[in-house]
Amino acid sequence: MTRKQKRLAVIAGGMSFILVAVLLVMFAFSQSVAYFFMPADLAKADVKPGTRIRLGGLVAEGSVKRSQGSTVSFTVTDGTGSVPVTYTGILPDLFREGQGVVTEGAFDAASHGFVADSVLAKHDENYMPKEVADRLKAQGVWNEGQGNQGQGSGTKGTATR
Amino acid sequence: MIIEIGHYALVLALATALILSVLPVIGARRGDAAMMALAPTGSLVLFALVAFSFGVLTWAYVVSDFSVANVWENSHSLMPLIYKYSGVWGNHEGSMLLWLLILVFFSALVATFGRNLPDTLRANVLAVQAWISTAFLFFILLTSNPFLRLDPAPAEGQDLNPVLQDLGLAVHPPLLYLGYVGFSVCFSFAVAALIEGRIDAAWARWVRPWTLAAWTFLTAGIAMGSYWAYYELGWGGWWFWDPVENASFMPWLAGTALLHSALVMEKREALKIWTVLLAIMTFSLSLLGTFLVRSGVLTSVHSFATDPTRGIFILCILGIFIGGAFALFAWRAPMLKAGGIFAPISREGALVLNNLILTVATATVLTGTLYPLILETLTGEKISVGAPFFNMTFGLLMLPLLVAVPFGPVLAWKRGDLLGALQRLYVFAGLALAAGLAFFYIQNGGPVLAIFGLVLGFWGMIGAFADLWYRANFAKVGLSVGLKRLAGLPRSVFGTAIAHFGLGVTVLGIFAATTFGTETVVEMKQGASVDIGGYSLTYDGLRDAVGPNYTEQRGHFAVSRGGVQVADVWSSKRLYTARRMPTTEAGILTFGLSQLYVSLGDAMESGGMVVRIWWKPFILCIWGGALVMMVGGFVSLSDRRLRVGAPSRKAKPVKARLEAAE
């Protein structure tokens, strides 16, 4: 091979690596990206059972029920709609009734309930999960100052332990 | 009063930084020695002023002066003293002040140790550092002033966020910032070189120690942050591909690439333009990370406050510096002359491959991190890009690099011999294969694909020493002569071997912990026991305990193996009284390199407790490997040829020749 051909081969090698990376990124986006929904959206959107989504909203007051083992069921609501959710595992420390939550999982084909495999609550008491806060504010169900008032009921939530 | 003096010192620092931003550049342009001499002195004054200001804020925290709003919001008189210190950077304002302190600290280091730099280069570098300082001083004084007072002063503070009250967090931000901000020096050198329109091997020799130091600290900072998330958040994971983690990981990836390309430039004068571009990109990613974390566009433990003006301010800083630097690059880079040529199969070729893979991997992480933000801004649609995306893209793309790492050091500069390298390495590959299979067998199997990962880890570990082995040539010259040869090698060769070995250890840890780890979530009543990882845990009930600023319920577990009790673990649920905030303190028990991780869940009405237990074999390799990489960095840094301030013999003649050529 001449020097020119060698150089071309190197450039072609580099370009094909980049091409592979781009294809991989596009493939991964089509496979593993979870869209965010709130209960009200689900009425409009057609989410097939088994599709991974993120479901966010407020944990409805009085909806948290613990069955045997570590399975917990609760309802996620946004004032308009509500979705029953089951989750097996340990809930985050700041998971409370009446507070914001984001769950990730898929709808179950048989029970039509939402089965979550991860539940995210807030890192501290000062904020709601951002996606949830944006939407609830837009709908007027919740506003920024309310986080602090929520603390009273939050303490009650932790007291049930 | 002292608080106001601290505030005033910061204003004086701004004035100093402004002068420092302008005069040395003009001096360098006109060849005015007096104006250029201003740069080192001014940088030291700037450092003294910011350090004083930082000291004042620290003092306010230590004496719990709640008349300062920042102290009131983030401290509590009962908090242990160490967290009063770390509380200084456990909030937005204080952490920005720490960022600035480290920035001017690096300027002061360049001013002190850069005596052998050409005058114009030093003046320009320090001026560029001062531009960055000016921007962040404006940011702190206008939007994030830590010295604001409260009147009347509250009697008690609101306490530091409990998850931040931890030793790991006390050291994580300073280490991380030493890395992040350390890359500013490389950036300044790159911009200064572009301003002067001249760059040579000596430039790379000056830049490399700074890159190496920043990279070493960033490695430590990321590992520390990862370990902190592992034990403090109680989720048992060590890396979540959270945007905030990515924000620190991207500069690390780019910095690793820079480290290797600067090597090519220093030794062979090739890849000049690319190295300058990489230096700019690395610090740009640091700035982007600062923006992502500090602006509040992402919500996480790191986003202390969401004030939109701050986000826009940092975005402006980001735009000016990144945009400005790239514009300068586009304008001046064509003036830089390309250097030596080399064959595709050579040490340079291997380092180019390293750069190609690392930058493409950085780009995928960047895409995954920014795509949701961009999509939301453009369409309002909200998506989350999580671990599956990054494992699929970043994970796969990095595999060829891990295979290639041991080849690099055994290839010759300029023109290498792949067949020869293969002949030299096949014994090492065989050893790695045997070690991987043995490891797999001892762990009683698992998915077959795991063998590949384990072998890859061992390949990195064992292959790292191939270069040393052949340089010593034990096989031919015997042990004593071989050792003498090793002693005569430059330290950077050992640094390379140690750092590559550390990478192998981390890779091994990642694959071992993910393949052989087990986890179980059970409801346990007092006296119940669970078997995991060859150990048996017996739950012994909850006990109440009181800490300095929290109350807790501690679950006690007796750990036994083969019927004999070997250890105790306590895992607790804490309630921090000031913020009424609960946290989970995981119980972690270390056996060699493996860990047993116990996290408490909710209490059941039946009187039991939900408990989540993980067996994490060889998990400590993940951070241990990072620690080894760090040691490699320091060993390399102690190399005589790189020692900052050591006279560089080759530097002057090389430059003279280049000037003559121009």
Side-chain angles (χ1 to χ4, degrees), chain B residues 58-379:
Chain B
T58 312
W59 181 81
Y61 268 88
V62 172
V63 301
S64 294
D65 183 350
F66 296 126
S67 72
V68 180
N70 188 259
V71 180
W72 170 71
E73 280 166 11
N74 300 293
S75 190
H76 192 279
S77 57
L78 293 179
M79 207 158 67
L81 187 61
I82 168 97
Y83 302 135
K84 287 187 181 168
Y85 280 108
S86 72
V88 176
W89 53 80
N91 61 83
H92 173 80
E93 290 82 0
S95 73
M96 287 321 296
L97 194 57
L98 178 69
W99 206 101
L100 179 71
L101 177 69
I102 290 175
L103 180 67
V104 294
F105 170 67
F106 274 108
S107 303
L109 281 184
V110 174
T112 315
F113 293 108
R115 293 218 179 82
N116 64 333
L117 289 173
D119 287 342
T120 53
L121 183 63
R122 182 170 63 167
N124 279 329
V125 168
L126 290 174
V128 177
Q129 286 283 105
W131 298 349
I132 310 171
S133 309
T134 308
F136 279 90
L137 273 162
F138 268 121
F139 176 69
I140 292 175
L141 286 169
L142 294 180
T143 73
S144 322
N145 190 345
F147 295 110
L148 296 179
R149 292 273 208 173
L150 287 174
D151 187 34
E156 189 51 273
Q158 292 188 320
D159 206 359
L160 184 63
N161 185 344
V163 293
L164 304 186
Q165 293 189 28
D166 179 87
L167 201 61
L169 197 98
V171 289
H172 163 66
L175 282 176
L176 199 68
Y177 282 2
L178 278 171
Y180 253 37
V181 182
F183 286 124
S184 70
V185 180
C186 311
F187 174 85
S188 299
F189 266 96
V191 172
L194 287 173
I195 292 174
E196 295 192 358
R198 194 178 59 209
I199 194 164
D200 50 38
W203 181 89
R205 185 161 310 164
W206 286 309
V207 167
R208 221 157 76 79
W210 299 102
T211 316
L212 199 55
W215 178 86
T216 308
F217 284 118
L218 192 56
T219 309
I222 293 174
M224 196 69 239
S226 155
Y227 190 61
W228 171 79
Y230 167 74
Y231 74 79
E232 178 68 24
L233 296 180
W235 300 337
W238 50 273
W239 192 260
F240 301 95
W241 289 109
D242 183 270
V244 176
E245 292 171 322
N246 295 348
S248 68
F249 192 45
M250 289 186 288
W252 186 87
L253 287 170
T256 313
L258 177 61
L259 203 60
H260 290 85
S261 81
L263 193 66
V264 177
M265 192 177 148
E266 183 192 344
K267 295 275 161 56
R268 300 278 311 141
E269 289 217 34
L271 303 185
K272 278 184 188 175
I273 294 175
W274 170 245
T275 305
V276 168
L277 182 64
L278 208 51
I280 293 174
M281 283 200 301
T282 306
F283 185 61
S284 299
L285 287 169
S286 295
L287 281 178
L288 180 74
T290 310
F291 166 70
L292 287 177
V293 175
R294 284 282 161 270
S295 65
V297 291
L298 304 169
T299 44
S300 79
V301 241
H302 296 79
S303 44
F304 301 111
T306 44
D307 177 354
T309 54
R310 287 174 180 169
I312 291 165
F313 204 116
I314 305 188
L315 198 61
C316 289
I317 296 181
L318 198 70
I320 292 169
F321 279 98
I322 299 181
F326 279 118
L328 189 66
F329 177 80
W331 176 39
R332 304 286 276 197
M335 294 172 67
L336 306 176
K337 290 194 174 58
I341 43 167
F342 52 87
I345 305 291
S346 62
R347 182 84 66 88
E348 293 97 318
L351 291 167
V352 167
L353 180 73
N354 154 305
N355 271 233
L356 173 71
I357 297 181
L358 282 173
T359 38
V360 169
T362 312
T364 57
V365 177
L366 185 69
T367 314
T369 311
L370 292 187
Y371 183 62
L373 290 175
I374 294 169
L375 192 71
E376 189 185 334
T377 319
L378 293 182
T379 68

Side-chain angles (χ1 to χ4, degrees), chain B residues 2-3 5-11 13 47-59 88 97 100-101 137 140-141 146-147:
Chain B
I2 183 116
I3 302 296
I5 300 177
H7 189 177
Y8 186 59
L10 216 51
V11 178
F47 173 64
L49 286 168
V50 175
F52 175 76
S53 181
F54 189 81
V56 167
L57 186 64
T58 312
W59 181 81
V88 176
L97 194 57
L100 179 71
L101 177 69
L137 273 162
I140 292 175
L141 286 169
F147 295 110

Side-chain angles (χ1 to χ4, degrees), chain B residues 535-536 559-567:
Chain B
Y535 293 88
S536 172
V559 181
S560 56
R561 179 164 200 147
V564 186
Q565 190 181 336
V566 288

Side-chain angles (χ1 to χ4, degrees), chain A residues 57-64 74-77 82 96-99 101:
Chain A
L58 296 173
V59 181
E61 297 280 354
S63 71
V64 179
F74 53 90
T75 306
V76 171
T77 173
S82 62
R96 293 161 191 171
E97 288 184 357
Q99 296 276 303
V101 71

Side-chain angles (χ1 to χ4, degrees), chain A residues 102-127:
Chain A
V102 173
T103 65
E104 194 169 325
F107 279 100
D108 185 48
S111 66
H112 298 291
F114 189 75
V115 181
D117 51 34
S118 75
V119 171
L120 312 167
K122 318 168 294 176
H123 274 294
D124 71 42
E125 78 280 22
N126 289 329
Y127 72 81

Side-chain angles (χ1 to χ4, degrees), chain B residues 411-427:
Chain B
L411 285 171
W413 289 105
K414 204 168 177 188
R415 194 176 291 110
D417 176 10
L418 193 59
L419 208 66
L422 277 172
Q423 275 173 346
R424 288 175 150 204
L425 285 171
Y426 78 91
V427 180

Side-chain angles (χ1 to χ4, degrees), chain A residues 10 21 24-25 27-29 32-36 54 66 69-70 90 93-94 96 123-125 134 155 161, chain B residues 161 301 344 360 364 371 381-384 389 521 523 553 573 580-584 601-604 610 612:
Chain A
V10 170
L24 208 57
V25 165
F27 176 71
F29 270 135
S32 61
V33 165
Y35 280 82
F36 177 84
R54 281 192 159 197
R66 297 173 202 283
S70 51
I90 290 184
D93 291 323
L94 292 162
R96 293 161 191 171
H123 274 294
D124 71 42
E125 78 280 22
D134 288 355
T155 344
R161 290 193 267 131
Chain B
N161 185 344
V301 241
V360 169
T364 57
Y371 183 62
E381 223 168 344
K382 295 181 187 205
I383 60 164
S384 79
F389 171 83
V521 183
E523 185 194 342
Q553 289 189 298
K573 285 247 157 198
R580 311 286 316 151
M581 179 169 162
T583 66
T584 303
D602 299 294
M604 310 293 293
V610 178
R612 191 163 183 184

